[in-house]
């Protein structure tokens, strides 16, 4: 399995996952259509050859470019209503999926995992092929204890580390918005993300990408520091794990497959 996180943050989110047989996207948001098309081209992926798009939830930064891919199968737990610039409905090849009920796309197994976000039905995904396992969790206020065993021991993690609490509280955002972000239906802060990851990784884990960082209320350095502190506290070595913090307009790639 090869993973290319094409963009991650409040302006757009999209992740390309490929094997020798299959190619899928998780979410279809990006700062601009031109950015997403160029990122796919540079990854060597044609839009027409994507086997399906899996949507986590309906906020614009996750579906903002979806109308340009409307001919492709779209898999989601949430109901999606798209409109074009003239406010006309955009038809979708929509497929309703349910938490913990896997979908098989060629040699990929994709299992939705319910999350807690204020957009309505929201999921993360566990993506597996014959060799490796990816956990993709963003846009959630917390992770249910009952889901922790299923998320544990993956090869790869793309995991939300949205905000530094002190930075968030010092922004000029209104109080209601700050409360929304820190609530159980908001976003994971650096410390909560780091704590959860410290409970999930095993000797099998090879890559951790801290994702969906806030532009105003976080920095890659702070997110990384929180992770390293949590792991050090538990005596977990990062020597054999590649760790990075994703940025809005920078592609993060890991894993591999043979065409």
């Amino acid at each position: 399995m090869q993973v290319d996180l094409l963009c991650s943050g409040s302006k757009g989110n999209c992740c390309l996952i490929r094997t020798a047989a299959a190619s899928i996207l998780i979410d279809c948001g990006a700062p601009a259509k031109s950015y997403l098309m160029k990122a796919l081209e540079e990854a060597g992926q044609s839009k027409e050859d994507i086997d399906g798009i899996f949507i986590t939830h309906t906020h614009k930064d996750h579906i903002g470019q979806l109308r340009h891919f409307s001919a492709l199968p779209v898999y989601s737990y949430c109901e999606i209503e798209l409109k074009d610039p003239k406010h006309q409905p955009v038809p979708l090849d929509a497929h309703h999926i349910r938490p913990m009920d896997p979908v098989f796309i060629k040699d990929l197994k994709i299992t939705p995992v319910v999350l807690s976000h204020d957009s309505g039905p929201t999921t993360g995904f566990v993506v597996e092929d014959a060799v490796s396992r990816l956990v993709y969790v963003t846009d959630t206020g917390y992770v249910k204890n009952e889901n922790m065993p299923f998320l544990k021991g993956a090869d790869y993690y793309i995991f939300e580390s949205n905000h530094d609490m002190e930075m968030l509280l010092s922004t000029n955002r209104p109080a209601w918005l700050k409360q929304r972000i820190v609530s159980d239906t908001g976003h994971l802060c650096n410390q909560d993300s780091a704590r959860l990851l410290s409970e999930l990784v095993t000797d099998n884990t090879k890559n951790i990408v801290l994702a969906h960082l806030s532009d105003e209320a976080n920095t890659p350095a702070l997110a990384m520091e929180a992770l390293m502190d949590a792991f050090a506290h538990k005596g977990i070595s990062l020597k054999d794990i590649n760790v990075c913090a994703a940025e809005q307009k920078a592609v993060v790639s890991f894993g591999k497959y043979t065409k």
Side-chain angles (χ1 to χ4, degrees):
M1 179 193 303
Q2 178 171 325
V3 182
D4 298 280
L5 185 60
L6 304 179
C7 53
S8 180
S10 58
K11 296 181 179 66
N13 298 270
C14 187
C15 184
L16 172 66
I17 302 168
R18 290 175 286 183
T19 65
S23 173
I24 66 168
L25 294 179
I26 294 181
D27 284 336
C28 196
K33 175 188 175 184
S34 58
Y35 173 88
L36 183 53
M37 297 305 183
K38 183 178 179 182
L40 286 170
E41 180 182 355
E42 291 180 352
Q45 177 65 53
S46 69
K47 180 179 76 170
E48 292 74 20
D49 291 335
I50 295 170
D51 294 299
I53 302 176
F54 287 77
I55 299 298
T56 59
H57 64 291
T58 57
H59 281 162
K60 184 179 179 180
D61 54 323
H62 296 262
I63 63 167
Q65 304 302 328
L66 185 57
R67 63 187 176 88
H68 303 296
F69 296 74
S70 60
L72 299 175
V74 176
Y75 300 85
S76 67
Y77 180 42
C78 54
E79 296 293 329
I80 303 172
E81 295 183 2
L82 291 182
K83 293 187 178 180
D84 64 20
K86 295 182 179 179
H87 303 289
Q88 296 302 307
V90 176
L92 288 177
D93 180 11
H95 301 260
H96 183 71
I97 58 178
R98 296 176 297 178
M100 305 308 292
D101 190 0
V103 177
F104 294 89
I105 305 287
K106 297 178 179 176
D107 59 348
L108 283 176
K109 177 183 178 182
I110 305 102
T111 305
V113 180
V114 71
L115 300 178
S116 176
H117 198 49
D118 59 4
S119 66
T122 303
T123 60
F125 294 101
V126 175
V127 184
E128 303 169 82
D129 64 8
V131 178
S132 52
R133 196 163 183 262
L134 164 71
V135 168
Y136 188 100
V137 170
T138 66
D139 295 77
T140 192
Y142 72 100
V143 174
K144 289 186 175 183
N145 288 334
E146 64 197 61
N147 288 332
M148 292 293 283
F150 183 62
L151 303 178
K152 189 176 179 69
D155 299 84
Y156 311 128
Y157 287 92
I158 296 176
F159 212 83
E160 177 171 72
S161 190
N162 176 255
H163 58 277
D164 172 78
M165 190 68 73
E166 189 173 320
M167 278 190 72
L168 174 64
L169 295 178
S170 66
T171 65
N172 291 325
R173 294 175 175 183
W176 67 264
L177 180 55
K178 294 177 184 179
Q179 181 57 44
R180 168 191 172 263
I181 292 168
V182 303
S183 74
D184 282 350
T185 56
H187 293 277
L188 290 174
C189 70
N190 290 341
Q191 283 70 28
D192 286 344
S193 172
R195 175 184 55 79
L196 288 165
L197 282 165
S198 73
E199 297 173 6
L200 292 172
V201 302
T202 65
D203 291 343
N204 191 54
T205 303
K206 303 170 184 67
N207 286 81
I208 297 172
V209 181
L210 304 177
H212 213 293
L213 274 66
S214 168
D215 286 339
E216 294 182 8
N218 208 357
T219 67
L222 285 171
M224 291 285 288
E225 181 183 5
L227 182 75
M228 290 185 287
D229 286 349
F231 277 47
H233 180 72
K234 289 198 172 183
I236 302 172
S237 173
L238 286 167
K239 175 173 63 74
D240 297 320
I241 305 176
N242 295 312
V243 183
C244 71
E247 299 184 47
Q248 181 64 83
K249 290 187 177 182
V251 177
V252 178
S253 301
F254 54 88
K256 62 181 179 180
Y257 72 99
T258 303
K259 292 185 179 181

